[in-house]
């Protein structure tokens, strides 16, 4: 899943990215708001790609749970770290690293789709994502 998403981000293939997400999937934004559903996720990526992002993802752990393989009720959490380089609004490049924790679900046809993409899981403190409009990076 991460490889496919990474390839589609690199290619700036918004339709390909959406094809990897469930229709009501959620993406956690930098400010903790949720970008939810294909229309909002599409708008998020179109806007984000203006910053010419270069993303390197390092999966560290995948935990699968749920029903039998291919039964349609199997879930997995994919966790790891990443490095992101992108343009600031003033045109200079910025580089930072972070951790992620994504959730994917396997459908009865064998496909795995993103339920949520969280590049900003909390570490210490009691923060939680909340619904809202996407903000600019």
């Amino acid at each position: 899943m991460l490889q496919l998403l990474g390839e589609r981000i690199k290619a700036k293939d918004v339709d390909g990215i959406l094809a990897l997400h469930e229709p009501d999937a959620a993406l956690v934004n930098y400010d903790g708001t949720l970008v939810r559903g294909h229309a909002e996720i599409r708008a998020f990526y179109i806007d984000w790609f203006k910053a010419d992002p270069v993303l390197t993802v390092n999966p560290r752990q995948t935990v699968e749970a749920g029903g039998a393989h291919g039964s349609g009720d199997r879930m997995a959490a994919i966790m790891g770290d990443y490095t992101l380089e992108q343009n600031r609004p003033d045109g200079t490049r910025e580089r930072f690293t972070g951790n992620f924790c994504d959730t994917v679900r396997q459908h009865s046809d064998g496909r795995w789709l993103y339920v949520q993409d969280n590049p900003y899981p909390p570490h210490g403190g009691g923060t939680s994502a909340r619904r809202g409009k996407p903000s600019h990076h």
Side-chain angles (χ1 to χ4, degrees):
M1 287 297 302
L2 283 175
Q3 180 180 347
L4 288 172
L5 184 61
E7 289 169 358
R8 293 172 186 189
I9 288 173
K10 184 176 181 178
K12 295 179 176 55
D13 176 5
V14 176
D15 289 333
I17 291 166
L18 291 176
L20 296 175
H21 289 76
E22 295 200 354
D24 60 350
L27 174 93
V28 178
N29 208 346
Y30 182 76
D31 63 2
T33 58
L34 292 181
V35 177
R36 187 178 300 278
H38 279 188
E40 288 185 18
I41 293 171
R42 175 183 297 282
F44 171 86
Y45 275 103
I46 288 170
D47 186 58
W48 184 47
F49 287 153
K50 294 174 187 173
D52 193 23
V54 176
L55 180 65
T56 303
V57 178
N58 302 302
R60 303 287 183 195
Q61 183 181 40
T62 299
V63 178
E64 289 187 37
H69 197 70
S71 66
D73 59 355
R74 193 139 181 86
M75 303 281 286
I78 307 168
M79 296 157 278
D81 56 71
Y82 64 89
T83 301
L84 174 63
E85 190 177 308
Q86 64 186 16
N87 291 332
R88 293 185 178 105
D90 67 5
T92 61
R93 294 293 277 175
E94 65 181 340
R95 183 176 190 271
F96 56 94
T97 60
N99 297 299
F100 67 89
C101 181
D102 296 347
T103 305
V104 295
R105 178 181 5 237
Q106 186 179 37
H107 291 257
S108 56
D109 63 3
R111 290 178 311 137
W112 287 88
L113 295 177
Y114 278 88
V115 174
Q116 67 88 27
D117 181 352
N118 186 358
Y120 309 108
H123 296 279
T127 61
S128 65
R130 57 196 181 282
R131 181 163 170 71
K133 291 292 181 195
S135 68
H136 301 287
H137 284 276

